[in-house]
């Protein structure tokens, strides 16, 4: 049996000519139009208690192209339009499987501008990538090489709110394979003062990227608010200025998370994290901005798919496990642990603990108990893409943990959380 190679997307920035930018902008608009038309047709059919699948929407697309009102759909490549229907089908599949919410209509101002081309709609020769309906190759900044002999199965072109153009090539990467096994295991406690605290005692500071650019962002947003609403060029310039600051923040945050997760997966066989209710935490008005800036969910997603790539194990401990109140030396459970207490002394054995290091150590011990004896394992709450290939386990809630509101609140981070 031939092993299936992992697929990986390689994203590059490119600089289109005026003609290419106009063609891609038309394609983005047609893709959005087809997606919305198909979504409306499927929603109306559902009200009539009928089911509409991809094949039926594909037939609808052919009929739409033949009408005078939508004849402009023939001016762009048909492949991205078909891919939009496939994306809608995937969105409904996730909805019916309760993995996502009901698909929503794409807004001209807010939706991401993107179009996907399959192998029949692009040509890659050496470093020249040419898309359908275009005569010149894209001017791509090849920041890193593609795998040797790579044959992309699809190409996705996108434009972000800051006006930057990107092309993403999806291809099989033979370099992604399980790493040699290691005895390394680490517990990871997420926080705000320190982004990560490891069971080894290492603390990784939180760079707070959004806070560093907060004054610049506020100034740009005030300038945007003063512009008259409409399609004026001055308002568009102010909007792009705000978008560029947001892009700078997200790019730096993503770069740091990629470096941290790659190092952790490379050095450890077992990685233990806590199942945090981030969606509920960001409802706190005083902590929502700080928690969003820390990007805990993005960190977990990266850790999970990289562990699946390289044959590592991620163990997720239940969010009600008392990692902070449990003494990692003797196992005694403290009666209370206010959030402003950063160090504490165990009444049972007299050991003094750093709150975050102690929590990371307890997470590691709980995770190793799962991997060794398999006790207390239950299915994972969420199923992100690519997770099925990974050995992921979640610890049941410990019997001694109360489900009272007070203890649930203590499990949440505060502005003092490290």
């Amino acid at each position: 049996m031939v092993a299936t190679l992992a697929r990986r997307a390689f994203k590059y920035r490119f600089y289109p000519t005026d003609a290419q930018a106009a063609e891609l902008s038309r394609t983005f608009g047609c893709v959005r139009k087809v997606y919305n038309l198909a979504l409306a047709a499927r929603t109306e059919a559902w009200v009539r208690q009928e089911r509409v699948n991809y094949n039926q929407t594909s037939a609808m697309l052919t009929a739409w192209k033949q009408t005078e009102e939508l004849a402009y759909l023939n001016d762009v490549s048909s492949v991205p339009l078909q891919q939009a229907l496939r994306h809608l089908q995937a969105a409904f599949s996730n909805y019916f499987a309760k993995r996502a919410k009901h698909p929503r209509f794409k807004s001209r101002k807010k939706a991401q501008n993107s179009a996907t081309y399959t192998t029949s709609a692009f040509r890659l020769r050496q470093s020249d990538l040419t898309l359908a309906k275009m005569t010149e190759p894209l001017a791509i900044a090849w920041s890193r090489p593609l795998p040797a002999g790579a044959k992309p199965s699809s190409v996705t072109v996108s434009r972000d709110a800051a006006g930057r153009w990107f092309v993403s090539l999806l291809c099989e990467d033979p370099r992604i394979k399980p790493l040699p096994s290691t005895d390394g295991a680490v517990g990871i406690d997420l926080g705000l003062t320190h982004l990560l605290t490891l069971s080894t005692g290492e603390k990784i500071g939180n760079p707070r990227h959004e806070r560093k650019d907060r004054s610049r962002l506020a100034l740009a947003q005030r300038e945007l608010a003063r512009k008259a609403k409409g399609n004026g060029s001055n308002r568009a310039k102010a909007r792009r200025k705000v978008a560029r600051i947001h892009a700078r923040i997200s790019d730096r945050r993503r770069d740091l998370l990629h470096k941290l997760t790659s190092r952790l997966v490379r050095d450890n066989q077992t990685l233990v994290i806590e199942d945090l209710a981030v969606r509920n935490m960001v409802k706190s008005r005083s902590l929502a901005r700080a928690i969003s800036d820390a990007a805990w969910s993005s960190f977990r997603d990266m850790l999970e798919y990289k562990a699946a790539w390289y044959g590592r194990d991620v163990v997720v401990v239940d969010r009600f496990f008392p990692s902070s109140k449990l003494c990692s030396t003797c196992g005694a459970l403290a009666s209370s642990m206010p959030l402003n207490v950063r160090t504490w002394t165990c009444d049972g054995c007299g050991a003094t603990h750093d709150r975050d290091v102690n929590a990371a150590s307890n997470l590691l011990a709980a995770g190793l108990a799962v991997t060794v004896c398999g006790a207390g394992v239950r299915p994972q709450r969420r199923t992100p893409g690519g997770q099925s290939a990974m050995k992921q386990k979640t610890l049941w809630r410990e019997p001694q943990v109360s489900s009272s509101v007070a203890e649930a609140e203590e499990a949440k981070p505060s502005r003092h959380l490290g």
Side-chain angles (χ1 to χ4, degrees):
M1 181 176 179
V2 180
T4 303
L5 296 178
R7 295 195 300 171
R8 184 175 187 176
F10 293 82
K11 190 174 182 179
Y12 305 92
R13 189 172 179 180
F14 75 98
Y15 303 87
T17 63
D18 293 340
Q20 290 173 340
E23 175 65 27
L24 290 173
S25 297
R26 284 194 298 269
T27 304
F28 294 158
C30 292
V31 166
R32 183 175 59 251
K33 182 67 173 180
V34 169
Y35 186 94
N36 289 340
L37 287 174
L39 176 56
R42 296 185 65 151
T43 303
E44 293 171 0
W46 181 260
V47 173
R48 300 191 303 267
Q49 296 183 351
E50 299 176 1
R51 293 291 292 270
V52 175
N53 56 25
Y54 164 76
N55 293 330
Q56 293 170 293
T57 55
S58 181
M60 292 178 185
L61 175 59
T62 302
W64 293 334
K65 288 183 177 181
Q66 296 172 355
T67 63
E68 182 179 355
E69 182 183 0
L70 299 175
Y72 61 86
L73 296 177
N74 295 291
D75 297 336
V76 301
S77 173
S78 62
V79 174
L81 306 185
Q82 293 288 344
Q83 289 299 112
L85 299 179
R86 289 189 175 91
H87 293 162
L88 179 61
Q89 178 65 33
F92 270 105
S93 298
N94 291 331
Y95 168 68
F96 290 126
K98 298 183 179 181
R99 292 190 296 265
K101 295 182 179 180
H102 191 278
R104 296 183 297 179
F105 292 99
K106 292 184 179 294
S107 168
R108 182 175 64 86
K109 294 183 178 180
K110 297 182 180 180
Q112 181 185 14
N113 293 315
S114 65
T116 301
Y117 297 78
T118 56
T119 52
S120 61
F122 69 87
R123 182 179 68 248
L124 179 62
R125 293 180 178 175
Q126 301 297 328
S127 60
D128 292 338
L129 176 65
T130 306
L131 302 178
K133 300 286 185 176
M134 295 184 186
T135 57
E136 299 180 3
L138 301 180
I140 301 176
W142 297 98
S143 55
R144 53 177 175 167
L146 290 172
K151 295 181 179 180
S153 59
S154 67
V155 169
T156 300
V157 181
S158 61
R159 181 182 59 200
D160 66 4
R164 302 180 300 177
W165 295 83
F166 296 95
V167 58
S168 178
L169 294 85
L170 182 64
C171 55
E172 294 181 345
D173 190 353
R175 296 172 297 184
I176 298 179
K177 53 187 178 181
L179 295 172
S181 299
T182 177
D183 296 332
V186 64
I188 305 171
D189 182 65
L190 301 174
L192 295 179
T193 303
H194 295 93
L195 182 61
L196 302 179
T197 301
L198 308 182
S199 55
T200 59
E202 178 184 0
K203 292 187 176 183
I204 299 172
N206 185 0
R208 302 179 187 273
H209 298 295
E210 187 272 339
R211 178 180 290 185
K212 292 181 180 178
D213 283 348
R214 187 173 297 176
S215 58
R216 294 177 57 203
L217 181 60
L219 178 61
Q221 288 174 330
R222 285 196 295 269
E223 293 177 355
L224 174 61
R226 287 195 292 265
K227 305 300 180 184
K229 292 186 178 180
N231 298 322
S233 59
N234 287 336
R235 182 174 179 82
K237 292 178 183 178
R239 182 196 58 76
R240 283 194 296 269
K241 185 176 181 180
V242 173
R244 283 196 295 268
I245 298 176
H246 278 297
R248 166 185 164 90
I249 294 171
S250 61
D251 288 347
R252 291 186 298 169
R253 180 189 298 127
R254 190 183 309 110
D255 178 71
L256 174 66
L257 293 180
H258 272 299
K259 292 176 180 177
L260 290 177
T261 52
S262 295
R263 176 169 72 91
L264 291 172
V265 170
R266 183 179 59 250
D267 296 342
N268 299 279
Q269 181 67 37
T270 303
L271 304 104
V272 187
I273 59 176
E274 187 176 7
D275 181 27
L276 297 176
V278 178
R279 183 176 298 179
N280 295 332
M281 292 179 180
V282 295
K283 295 179 182 179
S284 170
R285 296 183 61 182
S286 59
L287 293 174
R289 176 177 283 183
I291 294 174
S292 299
D293 191 22
W296 292 337
S297 296
S298 297
F299 171 81
R300 176 174 172 177
D301 290 340
M302 292 182 185
L303 198 69
E304 287 175 345
Y305 80 73
K306 290 181 181 181
W309 278 357
Y310 300 112
R312 302 310 198 195
D313 297 334
V314 173
V315 181
V316 182
V317 177
D318 190 86
R319 65 189 60 166
F320 291 99
F321 177 71
S323 58
S324 297
K325 297 192 298 181
L326 193 65
C327 176
S328 58
T329 301
C330 67
L333 184 64
S335 58
S336 64
M337 186 65 59
L339 292 171
N340 60 346
V341 175
R342 310 315 304 166
T343 59
W344 61 284
T345 302
C346 176
D347 295 334
C349 63
T352 301
H353 300 289
D354 178 281
R355 181 192 184 104
D356 302 325
V357 176
N358 178 71
S361 299
N362 286 326
L363 291 174
L364 175 60
L368 291 179
V370 171
T371 58
V372 171
C373 64
V377 178
R378 63 178 171 86
Q380 180 64 10
R381 281 191 175 89
R382 58 175 187 165
T383 309
Q387 189 175 340
S388 59
M390 178 177 50
K391 300 176 182 177
Q392 184 165 26
K393 308 178 183 67
T394 306
L395 188 68
W396 264 114
R397 185 183 306 180
E398 290 293 321
Q400 68 268 27
V401 181
S402 171
S403 58
S404 64
V405 176
E407 292 192 2
E409 288 296 326
E410 288 187 1
K412 298 180 181 179
S414 73
R415 64 180 69 252
H416 303 290
L417 181 61

